[in-house]
Amino acid sequence: MTDALGSIDMPDAEDETRDKKARKGGKRGKKGPLGRLALFYRQIVAELRKVVWPTRNQLTTYTTVVIIFVVIMIALVTVIDYGFQEVIKYVFG
C-alpha cells in the first residue's frame, strides 16, 4: 500500500528529519520562567481577541432567558418538595 510520498513502510519525510538537529523545548526552552509567563499572557490576550462577544441586546436576551429558567426550576423544586413534605406528614403522621 502506498501514499503520495511513497511506501508506508519507508516514508520520504523520514529522510529529511534525520538531517535536522533536534531542538530541545522549542521557543519555550530558551526563555526563563518570566518569559514563559509573559508568553502565556500574550497567548491569552490573543485568544480573547478571537472571541465573538455578544451585543448588548443579545446579552440582555440571554440573561432574561436564564433568569426565567432558574425561576421556573425553583418553582418546580418547591412544588415537588412541598408534595414530598405532605406525603411524609400523611405517612408518618
Side-chain angles (χ1 to χ4, degrees), residues 24-70:
K24 292 184 180 178
K27 290 181 181 178
R28 291 187 210 149
K30 297 177 184 171
K31 296 182 180 178
L34 292 178
R36 288 193 306 257
L37 188 63
L39 175 65
F40 177 69
Y41 283 116
R42 281 196 307 270
Q43 289 174 345
I44 288 174
V45 171
E47 287 299 320
L48 285 175
R49 289 178 195 223
K50 295 178 188 177
V51 174
V52 178
W53 296 99
T55 63
R56 184 179 281 287
N57 190 21
Q58 289 173 331
L59 191 61
T60 304
T61 302
Y62 298 155
T63 304
T64 304
V65 167
V66 168
I67 290 173
I68 290 172
F69 177 77
V70 168

Side-chain angles (χ1 to χ4, degrees), residues 3-18:
D3 58 2
L5 295 176
S7 171
I8 290 177
D9 297 329
M10 290 295 291
D12 293 337
E14 188 176 311
D15 297 333
E16 295 172 10
T17 57
R18 289 182 188 165

